[in-house]
Each structure stands twice: as C-alpha cells, then as structure tokens.
Amino acid sequence: MLLAGAMTSICLRIMRYEMETFLWILLMVLIVFYIIGSVVRHVLDSFEAERKKAEKEAAEKEAAEKEVSDEGEVIMKEETPDTAGKVTEGVHT
C-alpha cells in the first residue's frame, strides 16, 4: 500500500497534476490497495487456520492409532548369545 502510494505520488508530481486532483487520486489508490491487502490477509489467515486444523486432526488420529496398536502388541524375546544356534526340542532358535 505504501509503495503504491509512493509510486502514485511520484508519477502525479512528474505529470504536474493539480493538488486537489493529486490528493483524490492518491486517496483512491491507497483505499484500493488497503482493500486488496485486507483480502489477501484474510485468505492467508484462512489457509493457516485450515493447516492448523489438519495438523490437529492428524495428531489426534495418530494418537488413537497408537492407543489401539499398544493394546495388541506382541513383544518378541531377543536371542541371547549363549542360546543362539542351540537346538531346543528339535527347533533351531
């Protein structure tokens, strides 16, 4: 908005507009760029809110899946070096 106002001011001064016309044009340019900036900010804020919502849902889903997987988890016993390769009742471990 400020850059647009500065550029408008420079261009209008170079083209030697009357002061009243100059100020009205500058006011309109600043209002238009303020509205554009507000719309862009609103769109970006909605994207950010949507991203945070998706992250929250993903975290909740992951926590629910972990809770379910912990209930039926089977833990395998690790082989110790002294039992590795020994035969136990006809089965190799």
Side-chain angles (χ1 to χ4, degrees):
M1 181 178 154
L2 292 175
L3 182 62
M7 290 176 61
T8 302
S9 296
I10 292 169
C11 290
L12 293 178
R13 285 305 262 177
I14 290 172
M15 294 168 30
R16 299 184 188 271
Y17 272 77
E18 292 180 12
M19 188 56 73
E20 186 177 347
T21 308
F22 173 91
L23 292 175
W24 279 111
I25 292 172
L26 181 60
L27 178 64
M28 292 301 137
V29 167
L30 292 176
I31 290 172
V32 167
F33 275 89
Y34 175 76
I35 292 170
I36 291 170
S38 296
V39 169
V40 169
R41 186 190 67 205
H42 177 71
V43 168
L44 293 177
D45 287 346
S46 68
F47 285 149
E48 182 69 18
E50 197 173 299
R51 185 187 62 82
K52 284 183 180 181
K53 182 181 175 185
E55 284 179 356
K56 183 180 176 184
E57 289 174 356
E60 288 174 354
K61 184 178 179 182
E62 185 178 314
E65 288 175 357
K66 177 147 176 64
E67 207 173 279
V68 170
S69 68
D70 285 347
E71 292 174 0
E73 187 175 345
V74 176
I75 300 174
M76 298 290 290
K77 236 177 156 176
E78 291 185 22
E79 269 187 20
T80 57
D82 60 329
T83 61
K86 288 188 179 180
V87 177
T88 308
E89 298 181 28
V91 178
H92 288 289
T93 56

